mmCIF file of all heavy atoms in Angstrom:
data_model
loop_
_atom_site.group_PDB
_atom_site.id
_atom_site.type_symbol
_atom_site.label_atom_id
_atom_site.label_comp_id
_atom_site.label_asym_id
_atom_site.label_seq_id
_atom_site.Cartn_x
_atom_site.Cartn_y
_atom_site.Cartn_z
ATOM 1 N N SER S 44 -24.690 -35.581 35.711
ATOM 2 C CA SER S 44 -23.547 -34.696 35.542
ATOM 3 C C SER S 44 -23.644 -33.476 36.439
ATOM 4 O O SER S 44 -22.623 -32.911 36.830
ATOM 5 C CB SER S 44 -23.431 -34.262 34.079
ATOM 6 O OG SER S 44 -24.595 -33.576 33.654
ATOM 7 N N GLY S 45 -24.869 -33.066 36.770
ATOM 8 C CA GLY S 45 -25.080 -31.925 37.639
ATOM 9 C C GLY S 45 -25.118 -32.249 39.115
ATOM 10 O O GLY S 45 -25.253 -31.339 39.936
ATOM 11 N N GLY S 46 -25.014 -33.532 39.457
ATOM 12 C CA GLY S 46 -24.956 -33.928 40.851
ATOM 13 C C GLY S 46 -26.257 -34.394 41.462
ATOM 14 O O GLY S 46 -26.296 -34.684 42.668
ATOM 15 N N SER S 47 -27.324 -34.494 40.683
ATOM 16 C CA SER S 47 -28.580 -35.022 41.211
ATOM 17 C C SER S 47 -28.459 -36.516 41.426
ATOM 18 O O SER S 47 -27.906 -37.227 40.590
ATOM 19 C CB SER S 47 -29.728 -34.725 40.260
ATOM 20 O OG SER S 47 -29.933 -33.328 40.129
ATOM 21 N N THR S 48 -29.008 -37.011 42.529
ATOM 22 C CA THR S 48 -28.844 -38.412 42.905
ATOM 23 C C THR S 48 -30.176 -39.107 43.099
ATOM 24 O O THR S 48 -31.182 -38.484 43.428
ATOM 25 C CB THR S 48 -28.028 -38.544 44.199
ATOM 26 O OG1 THR S 48 -28.691 -37.845 45.260
ATOM 27 C CG2 THR S 48 -26.634 -37.966 44.014
ATOM 28 N N ASN S 49 -30.157 -40.420 42.903
ATOM 29 C CA ASN S 49 -31.289 -41.274 43.194
ATOM 30 C C ASN S 49 -30.769 -42.576 43.768
ATOM 31 O O ASN S 49 -29.677 -43.016 43.425
ATOM 32 C CB ASN S 49 -32.121 -41.547 41.942
ATOM 33 C CG ASN S 49 -33.030 -40.396 41.578
ATOM 34 O OD1 ASN S 49 -34.047 -40.186 42.221
ATOM 35 N ND2 ASN S 49 -32.660 -39.648 40.549
ATOM 36 N N TYR S 50 -31.585 -43.210 44.621
ATOM 37 C CA TYR S 50 -31.170 -44.419 45.313
ATOM 38 C C TYR S 50 -32.266 -45.461 45.305
ATOM 39 O O TYR S 50 -33.454 -45.136 45.330
ATOM 40 C CB TYR S 50 -30.811 -44.113 46.770
ATOM 41 C CG TYR S 50 -29.684 -43.131 46.918
ATOM 42 C CD1 TYR S 50 -29.945 -41.766 47.029
ATOM 43 C CD2 TYR S 50 -28.366 -43.554 46.933
ATOM 44 C CE1 TYR S 50 -28.908 -40.857 47.153
ATOM 45 C CE2 TYR S 50 -27.327 -42.651 47.061
ATOM 46 C CZ TYR S 50 -27.599 -41.305 47.169
ATOM 47 O OH TYR S 50 -26.568 -40.405 47.292
ATOM 48 N N ALA S 51 -31.845 -46.720 45.288
ATOM 49 C CA ALA S 51 -32.784 -47.795 45.515
ATOM 50 C C ALA S 51 -33.321 -47.700 46.937
ATOM 51 O O ALA S 51 -32.616 -47.270 47.853
ATOM 52 C CB ALA S 51 -32.108 -49.144 45.305
ATOM 53 N N ASP S 52 -34.571 -48.101 47.124
ATOM 54 C CA ASP S 52 -35.172 -48.030 48.452
ATOM 55 C C ASP S 52 -34.367 -48.807 49.492
ATOM 56 O O ASP S 52 -34.313 -48.411 50.663
ATOM 57 C CB ASP S 52 -36.606 -48.556 48.412
ATOM 58 C CG ASP S 52 -37.557 -47.610 47.717
ATOM 59 O OD1 ASP S 52 -37.224 -46.420 47.550
ATOM 60 O OD2 ASP S 52 -38.659 -48.056 47.345
ATOM 61 N N SER S 53 -33.746 -49.884 49.074
ATOM 62 C CA SER S 53 -33.021 -50.740 49.998
ATOM 63 C C SER S 53 -31.787 -50.082 50.601
ATOM 64 O O SER S 53 -31.304 -50.522 51.648
ATOM 65 C CB SER S 53 -32.621 -52.044 49.310
ATOM 66 O OG SER S 53 -31.808 -51.787 48.179
ATOM 67 N N VAL S 54 -31.270 -49.039 49.957
ATOM 68 C CA VAL S 54 -30.056 -48.390 50.442
ATOM 69 C C VAL S 54 -30.267 -46.936 50.814
ATOM 70 O O VAL S 54 -29.344 -46.288 51.332
ATOM 71 C CB VAL S 54 -28.905 -48.493 49.416
ATOM 72 C CG1 VAL S 54 -28.694 -49.931 48.993
ATOM 73 C CG2 VAL S 54 -29.178 -47.605 48.204
ATOM 74 N N LYS S 55 -31.440 -46.414 50.587
ATOM 75 C CA LYS S 55 -31.729 -45.002 50.845
ATOM 76 C C LYS S 55 -31.482 -44.664 52.309
ATOM 77 O O LYS S 55 -31.930 -45.376 53.207
ATOM 78 C CB LYS S 55 -33.162 -44.686 50.448
ATOM 79 C CG LYS S 55 -33.465 -43.211 50.282
ATOM 80 C CD LYS S 55 -34.843 -43.006 49.644
ATOM 81 C CE LYS S 55 -34.896 -43.563 48.224
ATOM 82 N NZ LYS S 55 -36.218 -43.355 47.577
ATOM 83 N N GLY S 56 -30.753 -43.590 52.528
ATOM 84 C CA GLY S 56 -30.416 -43.172 53.877
ATOM 85 C C GLY S 56 -29.142 -43.776 54.412
ATOM 86 O O GLY S 56 -28.643 -43.327 55.455
ATOM 87 N N ARG S 57 -28.611 -44.778 53.729
ATOM 88 C CA ARG S 57 -27.388 -45.441 54.173
ATOM 89 C C ARG S 57 -26.224 -45.241 53.209
ATOM 90 O O ARG S 57 -25.076 -45.195 53.631
ATOM 91 C CB ARG S 57 -27.626 -46.941 54.362
ATOM 92 C CG ARG S 57 -28.698 -47.268 55.391
ATOM 93 C CD ARG S 57 -28.762 -48.770 55.670
ATOM 94 N NE ARG S 57 -29.126 -49.530 54.479
ATOM 95 C CZ ARG S 57 -28.357 -50.444 53.892
ATOM 96 N NH1 ARG S 57 -27.156 -50.721 54.396
ATOM 97 N NH2 ARG S 57 -28.780 -51.095 52.825
ATOM 98 N N PHE S 58 -26.523 -45.151 51.917
ATOM 99 C CA PHE S 58 -25.494 -45.009 50.890
ATOM 100 C C PHE S 58 -25.528 -43.604 50.306
ATOM 101 O O PHE S 58 -26.599 -42.994 50.187
ATOM 102 C CB PHE S 58 -25.713 -46.003 49.748
ATOM 103 C CG PHE S 58 -25.461 -47.448 50.087
ATOM 104 C CD1 PHE S 58 -25.289 -47.879 51.389
ATOM 105 C CD2 PHE S 58 -25.398 -48.382 49.065
ATOM 106 C CE1 PHE S 58 -25.066 -49.214 51.687
ATOM 107 C CE2 PHE S 58 -25.170 -49.721 49.347
ATOM 108 C CZ PHE S 58 -25.008 -50.141 50.652
ATOM 109 N N THR S 59 -24.369 -43.104 49.902
ATOM 110 C CA THR S 59 -24.262 -41.814 49.237
ATOM 111 C C THR S 59 -23.366 -41.942 48.015
ATOM 112 O O THR S 59 -22.221 -42.373 48.130
ATOM 113 C CB THR S 59 -23.695 -40.742 50.177
ATOM 114 O OG1 THR S 59 -24.531 -40.615 51.332
ATOM 115 C CG2 THR S 59 -23.625 -39.395 49.461
ATOM 116 N N ILE S 60 -23.895 -41.567 46.866
ATOM 117 C CA ILE S 60 -23.107 -41.544 45.641
ATOM 118 C C ILE S 60 -22.615 -40.119 45.405
ATOM 119 O O ILE S 60 -23.342 -39.155 45.646
ATOM 120 C CB ILE S 60 -23.921 -42.068 44.437
ATOM 121 C CG1 ILE S 60 -23.035 -42.197 43.195
ATOM 122 C CG2 ILE S 60 -25.133 -41.197 44.162
ATOM 123 C CD1 ILE S 60 -23.729 -42.903 42.028
ATOM 124 N N SER S 61 -21.388 -39.988 44.951
ATOM 125 C CA SER S 61 -20.818 -38.681 44.660
ATOM 126 C C SER S 61 -19.838 -38.818 43.510
ATOM 127 O O SER S 61 -19.472 -39.927 43.118
ATOM 128 C CB SER S 61 -20.141 -38.082 45.894
ATOM 129 O OG SER S 61 -19.061 -38.891 46.327
ATOM 130 N N ARG S 62 -19.409 -37.681 42.979
ATOM 131 C CA ARG S 62 -18.438 -37.722 41.894
ATOM 132 C C ARG S 62 -17.490 -36.544 42.000
ATOM 133 O O ARG S 62 -17.857 -35.467 42.480
ATOM 134 C CB ARG S 62 -19.127 -37.751 40.531
ATOM 135 C CG ARG S 62 -19.890 -36.490 40.156
ATOM 136 C CD ARG S 62 -20.827 -36.736 38.975
ATOM 137 N NE ARG S 62 -20.103 -37.115 37.769
ATOM 138 C CZ ARG S 62 -20.674 -37.657 36.690
ATOM 139 N NH1 ARG S 62 -21.976 -37.914 36.693
ATOM 140 N NH2 ARG S 62 -19.930 -37.962 35.632
ATOM 141 N N ASN S 63 -16.276 -36.761 41.536
ATOM 142 C CA ASN S 63 -15.271 -35.729 41.418
ATOM 143 C C ASN S 63 -14.831 -35.731 39.963
ATOM 144 O O ASN S 63 -14.006 -36.548 39.553
ATOM 145 C CB ASN S 63 -14.099 -35.989 42.361
ATOM 146 C CG ASN S 63 -13.101 -34.855 42.377
ATOM 147 O OD1 ASN S 63 -12.901 -34.168 41.381
ATOM 148 N ND2 ASN S 63 -12.457 -34.650 43.521
ATOM 149 N N ASN S 64 -15.396 -34.834 39.190
ATOM 150 C CA ASN S 64 -15.130 -34.829 37.758
ATOM 151 C C ASN S 64 -13.679 -34.481 37.432
ATOM 152 O O ASN S 64 -13.142 -34.945 36.431
ATOM 153 C CB ASN S 64 -16.080 -33.861 37.050
ATOM 154 C CG ASN S 64 -17.510 -34.357 37.048
ATOM 155 O OD1 ASN S 64 -17.766 -35.555 37.134
ATOM 156 N ND2 ASN S 64 -18.456 -33.433 36.947
ATOM 157 N N ALA S 65 -13.048 -33.666 38.264
ATOM 158 C CA ALA S 65 -11.649 -33.324 38.049
ATOM 159 C C ALA S 65 -10.758 -34.548 38.156
ATOM 160 O O ALA S 65 -9.698 -34.604 37.526
ATOM 161 C CB ALA S 65 -11.205 -32.254 39.041
ATOM 162 N N LYS S 66 -11.170 -35.524 38.962
ATOM 163 C CA LYS S 66 -10.413 -36.756 39.138
ATOM 164 C C LYS S 66 -10.977 -37.915 38.331
ATOM 165 O O LYS S 66 -10.470 -39.036 38.428
ATOM 166 C CB LYS S 66 -10.365 -37.145 40.610
ATOM 167 C CG LYS S 66 -9.612 -36.163 41.490
ATOM 168 C CD LYS S 66 -9.544 -36.661 42.921
ATOM 169 C CE LYS S 66 -8.724 -35.725 43.789
ATOM 170 N NZ LYS S 66 -8.636 -36.216 45.193
ATOM 171 N N ASN S 67 -12.018 -37.662 37.550
ATOM 172 C CA ASN S 67 -12.669 -38.718 36.771
ATOM 173 C C ASN S 67 -13.032 -39.913 37.649
ATOM 174 O O ASN S 67 -12.777 -41.066 37.293
ATOM 175 C CB ASN S 67 -11.779 -39.167 35.618
ATOM 176 C CG ASN S 67 -11.809 -38.218 34.437
ATOM 177 O OD1 ASN S 67 -12.419 -37.154 34.489
ATOM 178 N ND2 ASN S 67 -11.146 -38.604 33.359
ATOM 179 N N THR S 68 -13.637 -39.628 38.785
ATOM 180 C CA THR S 68 -13.930 -40.669 39.761
ATOM 181 C C THR S 68 -15.330 -40.499 40.328
ATOM 182 O O THR S 68 -15.772 -39.376 40.595
ATOM 183 C CB THR S 68 -12.905 -40.644 40.906
ATOM 184 O OG1 THR S 68 -11.586 -40.778 40.370
ATOM 185 C CG2 THR S 68 -13.148 -41.783 41.883
ATOM 186 N N VAL S 69 -16.019 -41.622 40.509
ATOM 187 C CA VAL S 69 -17.298 -41.649 41.196
ATOM 188 C C VAL S 69 -17.157 -42.529 42.426
ATOM 189 O O VAL S 69 -16.417 -43.522 42.406
ATOM 190 C CB VAL S 69 -18.429 -42.127 40.261
ATOM 191 C CG1 VAL S 69 -18.186 -43.552 39.784
ATOM 192 C CG2 VAL S 69 -19.782 -41.998 40.934
ATOM 193 N N TYR S 70 -17.851 -42.174 43.501
ATOM 194 C CA TYR S 70 -17.719 -42.855 44.779
ATOM 195 C C TYR S 70 -19.065 -43.374 45.258
ATOM 196 O O TYR S 70 -20.123 -42.860 44.905
ATOM 197 C CB TYR S 70 -17.166 -41.909 45.846
ATOM 198 C CG TYR S 70 -15.874 -41.237 45.472
ATOM 199 C CD1 TYR S 70 -15.869 -39.975 44.888
ATOM 200 C CD2 TYR S 70 -14.653 -41.862 45.700
ATOM 201 C CE1 TYR S 70 -14.683 -39.348 44.543
ATOM 202 C CE2 TYR S 70 -13.466 -41.242 45.355
ATOM 203 C CZ TYR S 70 -13.480 -39.993 44.781
ATOM 204 O OH TYR S 70 -12.309 -39.373 44.441
ATOM 205 N N LEU S 71 -19.003 -44.390 46.089
ATOM 206 C CA LEU S 71 -20.171 -44.857 46.811
ATOM 207 C C LEU S 71 -19.782 -45.031 48.268
ATOM 208 O O LEU S 71 -19.044 -45.952 48.611
ATOM 209 C CB LEU S 71 -20.698 -46.175 46.243
ATOM 210 C CG LEU S 71 -22.027 -46.648 46.850
ATOM 211 C CD1 LEU S 71 -23.162 -45.711 46.464
ATOM 212 C CD2 LEU S 71 -22.342 -48.080 46.410
ATOM 213 N N GLN S 72 -20.259 -44.122 49.108
ATOM 214 C CA GLN S 72 -20.040 -44.216 50.542
ATOM 215 C C GLN S 72 -21.154 -45.057 51.140
ATOM 216 O O GLN S 72 -22.329 -44.704 51.010
ATOM 217 C CB GLN S 72 -20.023 -42.828 51.174
ATOM 218 C CG GLN S 72 -19.872 -42.833 52.689
ATOM 219 C CD GLN S 72 -18.528 -43.345 53.140
ATOM 220 O OE1 GLN S 72 -17.496 -42.866 52.674
ATOM 221 N NE2 GLN S 72 -18.521 -44.312 54.037
ATOM 222 N N MET S 73 -20.800 -46.153 51.773
ATOM 223 C CA MET S 73 -21.765 -47.089 52.330
ATOM 224 C C MET S 73 -21.624 -47.112 53.841
ATOM 225 O O MET S 73 -20.535 -47.363 54.364
ATOM 226 C CB MET S 73 -21.555 -48.487 51.750
ATOM 227 C CG MET S 73 -21.570 -48.532 50.227
ATOM 228 S SD MET S 73 -21.427 -50.219 49.584
ATOM 229 C CE MET S 73 -19.772 -50.620 50.158
ATOM 230 N N SER S 74 -22.720 -46.869 54.533
ATOM 231 C CA SER S 74 -22.747 -46.871 55.988
ATOM 232 C C SER S 74 -23.850 -47.789 56.472
ATOM 233 O O SER S 74 -24.742 -48.171 55.718
ATOM 234 C CB SER S 74 -22.967 -45.451 56.525
ATOM 235 O OG SER S 74 -21.947 -44.575 56.110
#
């Protein structure tokens, strides 16, 4: 809820998880 993130080793450095609580939405940016 405070924005701290963790990632699987397989995606670390490539994926970013984020959230917009005002929009009730969570995102996964994959590169």
Side-chain angles (χ1 to χ4, degrees):
S44 60
S47 297
T48 59
N49 281 285
Y50 300 92
D52 288 342
S53 59
V54 308
K55 197 170 296 181
R57 300 187 298 118
F58 290 12
T59 302
I60 187 171
S61 62
R62 67 195 298 165
N63 186 329
N64 290 335
K66 295 183 177 181
N67 281 5
T68 304
V69 62
Y70 306 94
L71 187 67
Q72 177 67 52
M73 306 184 295
S74 300

